[in-house]
Amino acid sequence: MGLSTFKKWLKETSPAVYRENEPMKFHTSFKIGGPADVLVLPSTREEVERVVSKVRELELPLTVMGNGSNLLVKDRGIRGVVIKIGNNLRQIRCTGTDLVAEAGASLSAVANQAAVHGLQGLEFAVGIPGSLGGAVFMNAGAYDGEMSKVVSEVTVLNASGTYQCLNKKELAFGYRHSSVQDSGSVILSVVLSLQPGNVEAIKTKMADFTNRRVSKQPLDIPNAGSMFRRPPGYFAGTLIEETGLKGYTVGGAQVSTKHAGFIVNVNNATAEDVLHLIGDVQAKVFAFAGVHLEPEVRVIGE
C-alpha cells in the first residue's frame, strides 16, 4: 500500500525522475543486480529532501547509493525505494585551497579539478571509480592516500530530515568506514581541504597512479573494485594468488587473472555466483594461510 502511494505521489507531485522495477545491473559497475521496486534519480538536493521525507513518512525501506562502483546487489533486487545520488548532482567549485563538490560528482572529476587549480593531496583518487559521496561514505583510498586526509566537512540530510554539517571528528573515519554508514544520513556535498602545489608535478603523479592502475587492475571487465579488505600484515590479492586461486571461477564470476584481489564478471554472473566465489576464496585462503578475508564491497538487496 505504501509503495503504491509513493508511486502515485511521485507521478503527480514530484519533479524527480524515477523508474519502476529497474534492473540494478544497469546501475552498478559489476553489471549485476535484480530490480529495485522504485529507483529515483534526483537532480537537486531539494528533490532528495522531498523524496526522503515522503519515504520516511510512508515508512518504506530506503537505500541510498552513488554510482554503484563498490556495490553488489543481490539477484532478487531491492525492496522499497533506491535513491541514486549520481551525475545530476555533480557541481564542483574551487574556493581558495578548498574544493566544494556535490556528492554525485565523480571522484576522478574532482581529482582532475584539483589538478587544474594547482591543489595537491587528491592525486591518489584519480583512478578510483565512483562518486565523491560514495568515496566519503566508504573512506575510499589508494596508494597511501584516503578521503579522511582531505575531507574537512560534509553536508548531509540527517535521519530526522534536516541539513547538517559534519566536521572531520564527527565523521569518525576508520579503515573503509565513516559515521555516515551508521547514521542513516544522506551525503549531499563535501568540502575538501587541499594544499597549493605545482600543476605539472600534480599531473605527473596522477599519470603515474593511472598507469599503475591500468597495468595491474582488470579495468576492462565489470567488477566492484578490490573485493576484500586488507588484512593486518598482508595484502588480500597476494594471499589469494599464493593460494593458487587466480582464475578460479564459479558460474560467471572469476578471481581476476590480472589481479587476484578483484572478482570479475566474465560471463553474465549472478550475485549468487559472486557470493559463492567469495565464500570459496575465504575458506581456501583460511585453510592455506590461517587468515580470514573480510569483503570490502557493500552487499545489499534480497
Side-chain angles (χ1 to χ4, degrees):
M1 188 67 177
L3 194 60
S4 58
T5 301
F6 179 73
K7 290 177 184 177
K8 187 171 185 286
W9 173 82
L10 272 177
K11 187 175 182 180
E12 294 177 357
T13 67
S14 173
V17 174
Y18 70 97
R19 297 171 189 163
E20 297 180 34
N21 300 312
E22 177 71 2
M24 292 305 294
K25 67 180 181 180
F26 298 137
H27 300 276
T28 65
S29 60
F30 233 149
K31 306 301 180 194
I32 294 172
D37 288 342
V38 181
L39 175 71
V40 182
L41 304 160
S43 56
T44 65
R45 67 164 58 185
E46 290 73 28
E47 285 182 11
V48 175
E49 181 183 11
R50 290 189 68 202
V51 170
V52 169
S53 175
K54 194 67 179 178
V55 167
R56 288 178 173 152
E57 175 194 323
L58 296 171
E59 298 183 345
L60 294 170
L62 174 64
T63 303
V64 180
M65 64 177 288
N67 283 338
S69 62
N70 195 50
L71 207 57
L72 176 63
V73 178
K74 293 183 181 179
D75 298 315
R76 287 180 56 205
I78 306 173
R79 304 292 68 82
V81 179
V82 178
I83 296 177
K84 182 177 181 180
I85 309 289
N87 288 334
N88 294 329
L89 287 155
R90 60 180 179 183
Q91 290 186 354
I92 306 167
R93 73 177 193 274
C94 182
T95 308
T97 55
D98 287 350
L99 282 186
V100 184
E102 290 183 302
S106 80
L107 196 54
S108 296
V110 177
N112 281 308
Q113 276 298 303
V116 166
H117 290 284
L119 298 175
Q120 63 184 6
L122 203 57
E123 294 90 335
F124 73 91
V126 66
I128 298 177
S131 67
L132 174 62
V136 173
F137 182 89
M138 291 293 295
N139 188 21
Y143 303 118
D144 297 322
E146 61 180 19
M147 297 308 294
S148 64
K149 295 180 180 179
V150 292
V151 172
S152 59
E153 187 179 285
V154 172
T155 299
V156 301
L157 182 68
N158 66 24
S160 60
T162 56
Y163 296 117
Q164 182 180 4
C165 285
L166 302 176
N167 61 32
K168 183 172 288 196
K169 185 176 180 181
E170 290 167 319
L171 288 162
F173 284 119
Y175 179 67
R176 301 297 175 260
H177 184 269
S178 72
S179 63
V180 185
Q181 293 179 22
D182 312 311
S183 67
S185 297
V186 181
I187 297 173
L188 297 171
S189 64
V190 180
V191 179
L192 302 161
S193 293
L194 305 170
Q195 300 296 322
N198 176 274
V199 173
E200 290 310 312
I202 293 167
K203 288 183 175 178
T204 298
K205 194 172 184 181
M206 287 168 65
D208 174 49
F209 288 157
T210 299
N211 289 336
R212 284 199 238 173
R213 194 177 289 273
V214 169
S215 66
K216 293 179 181 177
Q217 298 181 6
L219 304 181
D220 56 334
I221 308 174
N223 68 81
S226 297
M227 181 52 67
F228 299 100
R229 291 168 176 253
R230 188 175 65 235
Y234 298 91
F235 290 101
T238 303
L239 279 174
I240 296 165
E241 184 170 354
E242 288 174 349
T243 308
L245 292 174
K246 257 190 173 181
Y248 181 78
T249 303
V250 173
Q254 181 184 74
V255 175
S256 170
T257 56
K258 191 171 186 179
H259 188 313
F262 287 67
I263 288 177
V264 291
N265 178 0
V266 291
N267 186 21
N268 296 315
T270 63
E272 189 175 347
D273 292 340
V274 174
L275 292 171
H276 188 162
L277 183 53
I278 288 171
D280 284 358
V281 169
Q282 287 174 316
K284 290 174 186 293
V285 167
F286 188 78
F288 176 79
V291 177
H292 177 67
L293 295 180
E294 186 179 343
E296 182 171 306
V297 170
R298 187 177 165 214
V299 181
I300 60 174
E302 300 184 338

